[in-house]
Amino acid sequence: MPFLSLAIPYAQLNAASHVSHDVAAPAVRHEIAIDMEKIENQSYASPLVSKPQDTHFRRAVFQCNPIPVNDYFDNALAELVTPQSQCGERRYATNADLRAALGEILAFHPGAGTLSIEARIKALSLPSLLRDHPDYLPGTLTALSYDVGAHSIDIGRFTFPEPDTVEEAAFLFAGESELAFLHEDNPHACRIREDHATILGFHYRAAGMRGHTTLPPAGYALAAKDDTTLSDFTAQLTRCRKRNDLVRALRSTDGRNAQHNPLDLMQTGPCVIL
């Protein structure tokens, strides 16, 4: 469900006061989250105003309801991990940075005090976001395996005698075992997609996979119903890694060989004032 932040400037003036045209009225910006799908148009009785062309207008009152804090958090997380392009660079170097950004965004919601970021991440079956090693960034194979493994243990598909002491190894083993069925023509692939649809969709989105990066509802493919395989996911990771490595190499070469021309205003370099 899309959410909208409206910035509402207004002047803090008394209704009966008048402001000189020479003095600018002080304005304050407020941002509120509004669920545009739940706006209720409640018309109240008012005289109809006749126009020369027999056109009538009716005044209306709009009642705005805030998005539930869980949905607000989920939408913010989805937008923060979605790359700007199919192989766009990550916005955050670590999951700690991502959680900090979520905390800042969450502070704008009136129900922020009722939600724990760590608890919500666990409720979404994305415990990899609580690990700060680069291997566990959203859209990586390790993070996908870790989350799928944790979820498979939660639903009772795997049992370990002491999962708390070997949590990382247990989650990765279970996840890799589940993802092994996610291959083309495997008869159990459909079951894997259905059981882990939310997790698969999240990491497909973060990896920039085609059909998974558009915010819902328009153009967004549900992981439970498409035929994406594990090899499709790993091929996307390989393709983007090679592309980003090439871009970084070209930038590095250009930086070493470029000579600054102070009269060339179209070049990339220090500002030039003529």
Side-chain angles (χ1 to χ4, degrees), residues 186-228:
N186 189 296
H188 303 290
C190 183
R191 176 69 181 274
I192 298 300
R193 294 190 182 101
E194 291 178 354
D195 290 343
H196 307 294
T198 302
I199 299 169
L200 293 172
F202 175 81
H203 288 288
Y204 288 170
R205 173 197 291 265
M209 293 191 67
R210 187 182 304 277
H212 293 272
T213 56
T214 301
L215 293 176
Y220 184 68
L222 297 177
K225 297 181 179 180
D226 71 353
D227 56 357
T228 301

Side-chain angles (χ1 to χ4, degrees), residues 238-258:
T238 301
R239 180 166 53 250
C240 290
R241 183 175 63 253
K242 290 180 178 179
R243 178 185 178 278
N244 292 334
D245 288 345
L246 177 61
V247 169
R248 282 192 289 269
L250 291 174
R251 287 177 179 173
S252 177
T253 302
D254 292 343
R256 288 196 303 268
N257 298 334

